[in-house]
Amino acid sequence: AAEETLVDQLEVEAKKRGYTIYSLTNIALQALVELLKEGYSPDLLISLIKFHKISQTLRVIPVTDWFVEKIVEELHKSNKDKLKEICEKTGEQLATFLQGYAPTIEDLVNLWNEIKDVLPIKNISIRNKDDDFLITITGSGFSLEATECSAWIASKIFESYGLKIENVNAKQGGIILIKAKA
């Protein structure tokens, strides 16, 4: 039993790809059972699809956080200014992409909520009172150097949404506090 519009959509997509509704239903149910067995929410399937589309567009390369942390730490030791330049440029590139995908800061928050289960970042909180914003990001790195890089990236992203960054505080353990004005 399923909503008629979903069944209709499934029928169209199955025909396009040479599948039967029976086989696609079994594949979908198998994926759902695997998620549930592992203790995940069924909503993770939708998050994974959205994240996959974003990852393909951005050409994300899967590497361990340890690898990224070590590279950032080494560059920080040898040339902190170059590291900051690279991190800020990364923030500008991500901002360009994100604005096409999520044109407003509200859309950005909604996107975060849709894919947060598949990202290593633990939480992003945006509190707004009048024109003042306090943005808290947790889980953005472990070392102070990696957290600083993440803070530079985040600052450029939020600047692209029209916020004027007033203060950025990065703390070891992946905690970033950003104060901004609209």
Side-chain angles (χ1 to χ4, degrees):
E3 291 178 17
E4 188 176 332
T5 57
L6 283 176
V7 173
D8 291 344
Q9 290 175 18
L10 182 61
E11 207 168 53
V12 168
E13 296 303 321
K15 284 180 185 175
K16 281 184 195 175
R17 290 165 177 77
Y19 288 97
T20 64
I21 290 179
Y22 177 84
S23 65
L24 285 182
T25 302
N26 282 328
I27 291 168
L29 289 174
Q30 180 182 2
L32 184 60
V33 167
E34 289 297 317
L35 277 177
L36 295 172
K37 277 183 181 177
E38 294 295 323
Y40 294 109
S41 163
D43 297 331
L44 182 59
L45 280 174
I46 301 300
S47 296
L48 285 167
I49 293 166
K50 288 182 186 252
F51 181 72
H52 177 72
K53 287 169 34 179
I54 291 169
S55 295
Q56 281 189 316
T57 303
L58 291 174
R59 298 179 56 205
V60 171
I61 300 169
V63 296
T64 64
D65 60 352
W66 179 88
F67 176 77
V68 173
E69 293 260 349
K70 293 302 172 198
I71 288 174
V72 168
E73 287 172 19
E74 288 301 314
L75 186 52
H76 191 276
K77 284 181 201 171
S78 64
N79 192 341
K80 183 177 178 179
D81 291 336
K82 185 64 173 176
L83 174 63
K84 184 175 183 181
E85 177 187 323
I86 291 169
C87 294
E88 287 180 340
K89 188 66 172 170
T90 299
E92 291 168 2
Q93 290 173 342
L94 281 171
T96 299
F97 168 79
L98 288 170
Q99 286 197 317
Y101 207 84
T104 68
I105 204 153
E106 292 81 17
D107 294 332
L108 185 63
V109 169
N110 290 336
L111 176 61
W112 158 253
N113 285 321
E114 290 172 357
I115 65 171
K116 67 183 177 186
D117 292 334
V118 296
L119 294 175
I121 296 171
K122 303 286 184 262
N123 192 37
I124 298 175
S125 165
I126 302 174
R127 285 177 275 168
N128 176 15
K129 184 177 180 187
D130 301 321
D131 284 345
D132 294 324
F133 285 81
L134 179 59
I135 302 160
T136 306
I137 302 170
T138 56
S140 62
F142 181 74
S143 69
L144 179 58
E145 297 86 355
T147 305
E148 262 185 348
C149 180
S150 295
W152 293 324
I153 292 169
S155 293
K156 288 298 180 181
I157 291 169
F158 288 112
E159 279 179 1
S160 78
Y161 283 89
L163 298 182
K164 183 178 182 280
I165 306 302
E166 294 184 330
N167 185 28
V168 178
N169 187 355
K171 299 179 181 186
Q172 186 167 356
I175 300 168
I176 300 169
L177 302 171
I178 300 173
K179 291 183 182 177
K181 284 219 179 273

